[in-house]
């Protein structure tokens, strides 16, 4: 029988990759978002998860075999992140009656599980790298923990299985996404090529020189589906990365080469993208008009604040995938190829020239 998947945050980077994979695998796909975008083959559900009653009304009669939670709402403080995002997960799962509810719930969080929330990101006593799932939680408030606790409580109440997925920085396409390094770097490279400004690495020496890894949205979608359909993966938390490691001093040149520009030498100083791109909104509108691009609003394409947070970390960050490997997940994706595939798609969709 055809399985039904409910993708929460269906228009985001991870959500859109997950809907595409589920459709390719023959699933019936329900895509929930506050403002759903048209997605071929996806039944759209409009719901604001912060509104408990509206969420219950929107999901009345919905009986998914699996739920994939790929969304969150950024707030002004971690206390508000915890309050709002924990409530969103509770409202969602409370709206699905236990007798006809999900058989599996997959929650996407990330490496802030180990690095701490934005207010204390990469500071204090951190676990050793590579990060491993058994290292557990930091002794600081974190909205990822609140999301997990909401899933665990509902699972105990309603009897479904769960999985938690912790990617590193995700490479994928979505317009209007708040955490989008790949598109941000594509826009930044385009602006540098347009103006002749140096293509400068904006981050720290630790990130420039140290090893790191990333997560392709397509590989993460495969991992979500694997966990939802593999009994051994149920009720487990997993790190999810591409499987390779690299140094930004190598990757920066690879990205520059793709855009036909020269990478600027790195002098060891942090030169944040948020400052470098602060006055570029009108220039991007000019480029978009001249090149007939689909999105003239720079703020809907680039999220320099998030890219700065990742590339400015003072420590080397690599992630262990051994737990998934031992249970049979074999997905692998070279990170430079992931960037190049994204850039090609952005160009094909007229988001960059």
């Amino acid at each position: 029988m055809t399985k039904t998947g409910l993708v929460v945050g269906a228009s985001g980077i991870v959500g859109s990759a997950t809907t595409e994979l589920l459709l390719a695998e023959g699933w019936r796909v329900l895509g929930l978002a506050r403002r759903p975008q048209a997605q071929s083959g996806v039944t759209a559900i409009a719901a604001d998860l912060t509104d408990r009653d509206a969420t219950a009304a929107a999901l009345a009669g919905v009986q998914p075999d699996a739920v994939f939670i790929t969304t969150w709402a950024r707030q002004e403080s971690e206390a508000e992140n915890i309050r709002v995002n924990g409530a969103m997960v509770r409202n969602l799962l409370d709206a699905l009656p236990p007798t006809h509810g999900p058989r599996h719930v997959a929650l996407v969080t990330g490496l802030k599980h180990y690095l701490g929330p934005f207010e204390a990101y990469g500071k204090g006593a951190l676990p050793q790298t590579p990060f491993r799932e058994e290292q557990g939680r930091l002794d600081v408030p974190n909205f990822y923990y609140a999301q997990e606790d909401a899933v665990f409580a509902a699972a105990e109440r309603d009897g479904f299985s769960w999985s938690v997925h912790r990617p590193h920085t995700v490479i994928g396409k979505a317009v209007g996404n708040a955490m989008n390094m790949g598109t941000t770097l594509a826009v930044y490279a385009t602006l540098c090529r347009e103006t002749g400004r140096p293509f400068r690495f904006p981050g720290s020496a630790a990130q420039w020189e140290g090893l790191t890894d990333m997560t392709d949205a397509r590989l993460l979608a495969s991992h979500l589906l694997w966990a939802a359909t593999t009994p051994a993966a149920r009720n487990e938390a997993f790190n999810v990365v591409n499987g390779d490691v690299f140094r930004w001093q190598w990757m920066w040149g690879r990205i520059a080469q793709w855009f036909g520009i020269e990478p600027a030498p790195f002098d060891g100083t942090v030169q944040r993208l948020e400052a470098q791109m602060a006055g570029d909104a009108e220039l991007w509108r000019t480029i978009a008009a001249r090149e007939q691009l689909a999105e003239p609003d720079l703020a809907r394409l680039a999220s320099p604040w998030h890219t700065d947070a990742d590339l400015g970390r003072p420590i080397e960050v690599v992630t262990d995938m051994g737990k998934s490997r031992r249970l049979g997940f074999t997905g692998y994706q070279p990170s430079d190829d992931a960037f190049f595939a994204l850039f090609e798609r952005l160009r094909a969709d007229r988001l960059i020239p």
Side-chain angles (χ1 to χ4, degrees), residues 184-201:
T184 300
L185 294 181
V187 169
Y188 175 56
T190 301
L191 290 166
C192 288
R193 185 177 61 196
E194 174 79 11
T195 62
R197 296 188 328 222
F199 184 59
R200 299 185 184 281
F201 180 73

Side-chain angles (χ1 to χ4, degrees), residues 211-335:
L211 291 172
T212 193
D213 47 31
M214 297 191 77
T215 307
D216 189 301
R218 299 166 300 178
L219 182 133
L220 177 51
S222 295
H223 197 268
L224 290 166
L225 180 57
W226 166 78
T229 56
T230 302
R234 292 173 183 164
N235 303 333
E236 296 284 353
F238 297 101
N239 297 328
V240 193
V241 287
N242 288 337
D244 66 344
V245 295
F246 63 89
R247 290 182 171 86
W248 275 106
Q249 59 185 270
W250 173 80
M251 184 68 80
W252 200 249
R254 296 281 285 158
I255 293 173
Q257 183 180 31
W258 197 93
F259 284 94
I261 57 179
E262 288 293 324
F266 179 63
D267 64 5
T269 63
V270 175
Q271 303 191 43
R272 295 171 61 84
L273 279 183
E274 197 163 25
Q276 291 191 55
M277 300 173 67
D280 286 335
E282 283 306 311
L283 174 56
W284 186 259
R285 288 188 181 277
T286 300
I287 296 171
R290 186 189 70 213
E291 303 292 339
Q292 298 183 320
L293 300 182
E295 181 51 72
D297 186 350
L298 180 64
R300 285 181 50 77
L301 291 176
S303 52
W305 69 272
H306 180 258
T307 300
D308 285 337
D310 273 8
L311 297 184
R313 290 181 298 213
I315 59 171
E316 180 179 88
V317 177
V318 287
T319 315
D320 181 73
M321 274 281 286
K323 186 175 184 180
S324 293
R325 302 299 187 215
R326 285 192 292 271
L327 293 177
F329 182 77
T330 59
Y332 173 81
Q333 170 64 60
S335 295

Side-chain angles (χ1 to χ4, degrees), residues 67-83:
V67 176
F68 304 92
I69 305 174
T70 71
T71 191
W72 70 289
R74 186 187 181 198
Q75 306 299 312
E76 291 299 319
S77 68
E78 192 60 20
E80 278 299 287
N81 277 332
I82 291 168
R83 184 185 68 81

